[in-house]
Amino acid sequence: MKFVSWNVNGIRACLKKGFLAYFEQVDADFFCIQESKCQAGQVEIDLPGYEQYWNYALRKGYSGTAIFTKHTPLSVKYGVGDRDTEDEGRIITLEYERFYVVTVYTPNSKRDLARLDERLEWEDNLRAYLIELDQQKPVIYCGDLNVAHEAIDLKNAKPNVGNSGFTNEERGKMTLLLNSGFTDTFRAMYPQEDNRFTWWSYMNKVRERNIGWRIDYFIVSDRLNQHVTNADIHDQQLGSDHCPVVLELDIE
């Protein structure tokens, strides 16, 4: 099975920049997007053979997630714990017989860290939710997680220590998750590979010089590690300030 995750930074804009050509080429079983930035009825995408599940933010032109899949789920959930709704459209969970697929667009703690406390609470709630799911069946968790976990995951680590996305607090929450029975699939497959990033600032020539951050992930329950056949970053794919990340598993 092939899984793709991509923060499209506005699906309507990305559709004008080659989204469908990439979608058809990659031929994923599950294609997850974050930061769709649209409301119900604002965009219609014809994807033959795929079911579409959207979680829209209440605020227009903001956040939002979607999953396009070839496989009908047993259940669909928007939110965590007992909640099946959340205002910013950040979470979708699809349940299948043998696993869960969870896509997430993690809140940014903001340049001045004004949202850091809220972000840390989010991380705690989401981790508890993922652990709860994992106790029932394995989890495939993906999305724009808005954190570079280790120094190898961004181009200029030292000057960015303490900045949004590379605070000790945010990195610590990622460590807690990974220590709770989950694996960062790309880093597990390529423990020493550097200069592989998934997001670049729109500032002049930043992407051309590959001054980026790896903040988009596929994270799986540890017991799925033996089933991982490929974990990749499609960093040549344009259309957003992020690029797609890919996971392949030998499960059905």
Side-chain angles (χ1 to χ4, degrees):
M1 278 191 170
K2 182 184 287 187
F3 301 77
V4 174
S5 177
W6 191 7
N7 178 323
V8 294
N9 194 12
I11 185 61
R12 288 171 291 177
C14 197
L15 282 166
K16 299 175 183 177
K17 300 175 184 177
F19 176 86
L20 286 176
Y22 174 76
F23 182 91
E24 292 169 3
Q25 170 198 335
V26 76
D27 190 27
D29 291 272
F30 295 85
F31 197 112
C32 305
I33 67 170
Q34 303 85 43
E35 210 170 357
S36 54
K37 291 185 176 180
C38 67
Q39 307 298 119
Q42 286 190 316
V43 64
E44 290 188 10
I45 311 177
D46 184 22
L47 303 174
Y50 287 84
E51 299 178 11
Q52 303 186 27
Y53 300 93
W54 295 79
N55 194 5
Y56 305 104
L58 294 182
R59 176 177 160 191
K60 291 184 178 180
Y62 179 73
S63 189
T65 50
I67 301 178
F68 312 132
T69 176
K70 296 178 179 180
H71 308 276
T72 301
L74 300 176
S75 69
V76 183
K77 182 177 177 62
Y78 307 94
V80 300
D82 295 332
R83 298 172 56 199
D84 196 22
T85 183
E86 41 96 18
D87 293 347
E88 295 189 346
R90 293 183 179 273
I91 306 168
I92 304 174
T93 302
L94 302 186
E95 179 186 6
Y96 292 88
E97 184 176 351
R98 296 185 59 191
F99 55 85
Y100 291 99
V101 177
V102 182
T103 197
V104 165
Y105 176 39
T106 299
N108 191 305
S109 56
K110 301 296 186 185
R111 184 178 293 273
D112 62 356
L113 302 183
R115 207 175 182 185
L116 181 59
D117 288 345
E118 182 181 344
R119 160 71 179 269
L120 298 179
E121 181 180 359
W122 160 281
E123 296 281 4
D124 289 339
N125 290 336
L126 184 64
R127 185 176 67 258
Y129 175 63
L130 294 173
I131 291 171
E132 178 186 337
L133 294 181
D134 183 52
Q135 291 171 348
Q136 302 170 53
K137 60 187 82 172
V139 176
I140 300 156
Y141 166 47
C142 70
D144 174 2
L145 306 189
N146 261 319
V147 61
H149 185 219
E150 302 290 355
I152 195 174
D153 295 316
L154 71 167
K155 187 70 171 183
N156 297 314
K158 281 189 176 180
N160 278 295
V161 171
N163 287 343
S164 175
F166 201 58
T167 63
N168 290 334
E169 294 89 344
E170 291 164 310
R171 297 168 65 195
K173 295 299 184 184
M174 173 67 86
T175 299
L176 276 176
L177 175 65
L178 297 178
N179 288 343
S180 299
F182 296 92
T183 298
D184 172 355
T185 57
F186 180 81
R187 189 53 67 209
M189 185 164 280
Y190 304 105
Q192 303 300 325
E193 189 159 345
D194 59 2
N195 293 314
R196 296 299 306 277
F197 307 123
T198 67
W199 173 80
W200 303 262
S201 165
Y202 276 132
M203 293 174 63
N204 190 36
K205 302 293 185 181
V206 165
R207 187 158 185 173
E208 289 86 340
R209 291 181 289 160
N210 198 29
I211 303 173
W213 296 48
R214 189 175 74 95
I215 60 175
D216 302 83
Y217 297 81
F218 270 101
I219 292 173
V220 301
S221 298
D222 284 349
R223 59 194 185 279
L224 286 179
N225 287 345
Q226 62 183 325
H227 299 285
V228 175
T229 59
N230 185 36
D232 203 359
I233 296 172
H234 286 183
D235 43 17
Q236 299 305 305
Q237 179 60 41
L238 303 179
S240 168
D241 53 345
H242 294 249
C243 73
V245 292
V246 180
L247 175 69
E248 294 183 57
L249 299 173
D250 63 351
I251 59 173
E252 293 298 333

